[in-house]
Amino acid sequence: MKTIYEKKRVARDLNRAVISGVCAGVAKYFDIDPLWARAGAAAGLVFAPMITLPAYIAAVVLLPRGA
């Protein structure tokens, strides 16, 4: 018996992107509203900018473009 696995991957969502689609892609992966992902990113920039900003830039560079 074969089982078909649908592989879930994180990709930048350029259709719902505001800046680069990272937050929209993360929101799509976790099946939440993109507003929550953007609010989390904004809170991260306020409280821990030295971690959040390099992580966001790395996500822009490393995550593939998705639809």
Side-chain angles (χ1 to χ4, degrees):
M1 173 182 232
K2 285 188 176 182
T3 305
I4 300 173
Y5 292 101
E6 185 176 324
K7 206 170 210 181
K8 198 172 179 183
R9 298 185 64 130
V10 178
R12 294 187 296 145
D13 188 359
L14 300 178
N15 294 331
R16 297 188 298 170
V18 172
I19 296 175
S20 65
V22 173
C23 291
V26 169
K28 187 175 182 180
Y29 179 79
F30 288 113
D31 197 28
I32 59 173
D33 193 277
L35 180 65
W36 291 108
R38 291 180 185 120
L45 282 172
V46 170
F47 294 111
M50 297 302 288
I51 297 169
T52 308
L53 191 59
Y56 189 86
I57 292 170
V60 170
V61 172
L62 296 175
L63 288 179
R65 293 180 183 174

